[in-house]
C-alpha cells in the first residue's frame, strides 16, 4: 500500500523559533499533498493544499506567512511554522494523493508540536 | 460548505456486542467517503473507503454503508473487542476531505 512518512514525529521548541515538518510519499509520486491540524479532542481541520511546483492554497483563517508550505518535488512537502507560539501547539498531519483523478488520500503518522 | 456530523460522540459497549456508528453529511456531491480509526496520540488508520457509486464495503468484522442521496453512512462493527477501542472518524471527499467530529468508542471487557 501507499506509505507516507512524517519527520519529526515529535518536536518541542521555544516560543519564537521556527519549526520545519517534512512529509514524504515513500512509494508513489504525490502531485497533491494536504496539511491538517488537530487540536486535543477535536477533529482534523484542513490547513492547506499544495500541488507540486505551485503555491499552496490555504483554507480560510490560516495565515500563509505563518505556515509556509513548500512542495518542491513529487515526493516531498514541508510545513514550516514560523515564529511559533504556544497556541500553535498541535498535532500536524499530512496526506498525499497520487495524481489528478485519484481521490484517495494516504496519511502520515503525524507530528506532535509543543511550543513552550 | 460541507459539514460532517457523527453520532454519538462517545459510546461504551460490552465486549462481544455488535454496534453501529453514524455519519451524516450535507453535500451529497462526493467522490467517496472514508472511515478511519485514531488511537490516542496517534495518526489515522484507514479502515474502509466507499466510492460514491458504491453502497457498501466490508473488511473483516467491519461493514460500511453509504446512502449518498440521504447524506448518511454507517460503520457496523461485529463482535466488538477491547482492541476496537479508539476514536472513529468519517471523512467525505469532494475535492478535499472534510472530517466528522468523531465517535470515541470504548469496548468494556
Amino acid at each position: 500500500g501507499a506509505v507516507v512518512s512524517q519527520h519529526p514525529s515529535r518536536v518541542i521548541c521555544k516560543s519564537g523559533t521556527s519549526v520545519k515538518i517534512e512529509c514524504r510519499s515513500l512509494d508513489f509520486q504525490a502531485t497533491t499533498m494536504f496539511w491538517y491540524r488537530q487540536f486535543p479532542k477535536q477533529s482534523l481541520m484542513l490547513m492547506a493544499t499544495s500541488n507540486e511546483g505551485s503555491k499552496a492554497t490555504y483554507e480560510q483563517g490560516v495565515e500563509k506567512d505563518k505556515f509556509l508550505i513548500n512542495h518542491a518535488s513529487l515526493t516531498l512537502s514541508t510545513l514550516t511554522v514560523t515564529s511559533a507560539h504556544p497556541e500553535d501547539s498541535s498535532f500536524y498531519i499530512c496526506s498525499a494523493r497520487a495524481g489528478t483523478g485519484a481521490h484517495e488520500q494516504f496519511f502520515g503518522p503525524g507530528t506532535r508540536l509543543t511550543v513552550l | 460548505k460541507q459539514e460532517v456530523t457523527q453520532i454519538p460522540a462517545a459510546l461504551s459497549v460490552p465486549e462481544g456486542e455488535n454496534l453501529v456508528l453514524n455519519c451524516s453529511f450535507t453535500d451529497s456531491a462526493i467522490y467517496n467517503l472514508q472511515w478511519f480509526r485514531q488511537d490516542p496520540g496517534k495518526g489515522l488508520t484507514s479502515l474502509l473507503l466507499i466510492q460514491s457509486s458504491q453502497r457498501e464495503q466490508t473488511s473483516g468484522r467491519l461493514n460500511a454503508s453509504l446512502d449518498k442521496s440521504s447524506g448518511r453512512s454507517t460503520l457496523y462493527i461485529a463482535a466488538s473487542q477491547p482492541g476496537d477501542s479508539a476514536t472513529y472518524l468519517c471523512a467525505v471527499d469532494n475535492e478535499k476531505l472534510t472530517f466528522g467530529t468523531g465517535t470515541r468508542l470504548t469496548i468494556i471487557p
Side-chain angles (χ1 to χ4, degrees), chain A residues 14-110:
Chain A
K14 292 182 179 179
S15 186
T17 60
S18 294
V19 175
K20 181 185 281 189
I21 303 170
E22 292 186 351
C23 177
R24 293 181 184 272
S25 57
L26 298 185
D27 51 1
F28 67 101
Q29 293 186 326
T31 56
T32 306
M33 287 184 167
F34 303 86
W35 287 95
Y36 297 84
R37 181 168 53 183
Q38 185 179 34
F39 291 110
K41 298 190 188 298
Q42 295 187 24
S43 193
L44 277 75
M45 297 298 295
L46 179 65
M47 299 175 66
T49 302
S50 74
N51 292 295
E52 184 264 339
S54 60
K55 289 184 178 180
T57 302
Y58 290 81
E59 295 299 301
Q60 193 172 8
V62 178
E63 299 175 58
K64 63 179 180 181
D65 294 330
K66 180 164 185 65
F67 299 99
L68 301 178
I69 292 172
N70 184 283
H71 190 166
S73 78
L74 285 171
T75 59
L76 173 64
S77 176
T78 60
L79 167 68
T80 301
V81 183
T82 62
S83 187
H85 290 283
E87 57 265 30
D88 298 323
S89 299
S90 188
F91 194 50
Y92 292 86
I93 304 177
C94 73
S95 71
R97 202 161 66 188
T100 54
H103 289 283
E104 185 171 5
Q105 293 182 28
F106 302 94
F107 284 80

Side-chain angles (χ1 to χ4, degrees), chain A residues 34 97 100-105, chain B residues 2 25 27-34 49-54 66 68 91-98:
Chain A
F34 303 86
R97 202 161 66 188
T100 54
H103 289 283
E104 185 171 5
Q105 293 182 28
Chain B
Q2 179 75 270
F25 48 95
D27 183 352
S28 61
I30 64 172
Y31 293 111
N32 59 59
L33 182 145
Q34 204 163 353
L49 182 146
I50 312 176
Q51 301 289 353
S52 63
S53 58
Q54 297 174 322
L66 174 63
K68 216 172 62 159
V92 174
D93 188 350
N94 41 0
E95 281 308 324
K96 56 186 180 182
L97 278 184
T98 302

Side-chain angles (χ1 to χ4, degrees), chain B:
Chain B
K1 180 189 171 189
Q2 179 75 270
E3 293 182 7
V4 183
T5 305
Q6 290 184 245
I7 294 173
L11 179 66
S12 294
V13 300
E15 179 179 0
E17 286 197 1
N18 304 323
L19 59 100
V20 175
L21 307 180
N22 297 290
C23 173
S24 61
F25 48 95
T26 54
D27 183 352
S28 61
I30 64 172
Y31 293 111
N32 59 59
L33 182 145
Q34 204 163 353
W35 282 93
F36 298 88
R37 72 172 278 168
Q38 185 176 32
D39 294 290
K42 303 291 185 183
L44 303 180
T45 300
S46 179
L47 298 174
L48 290 164
L49 182 146
I50 312 176
Q51 301 289 353
S52 63
S53 58
Q54 297 174 322
R55 301 273 307 178
E56 66 178 337
Q57 280 286 336
T58 299
S59 176
R61 295 183 292 110
L62 305 180
N63 176 277
S65 69
L66 174 63
D67 184 343
K68 216 172 62 159
S69 60
S70 68
R72 294 176 191 273
S73 175
T74 61
L75 178 67
Y76 174 83
I77 302 177
S80 59
Q81 302 172 358
D84 295 331
S85 297
T87 294
Y88 289 79
L89 297 166
C90 72
V92 174
D93 188 350
N94 41 0
E95 281 308 324
K96 56 186 180 182
L97 278 184
T98 302
F99 281 83
T101 45
T103 294
R104 190 165 64 253
L105 175 65
T106 303
I107 305 300
I108 305 164

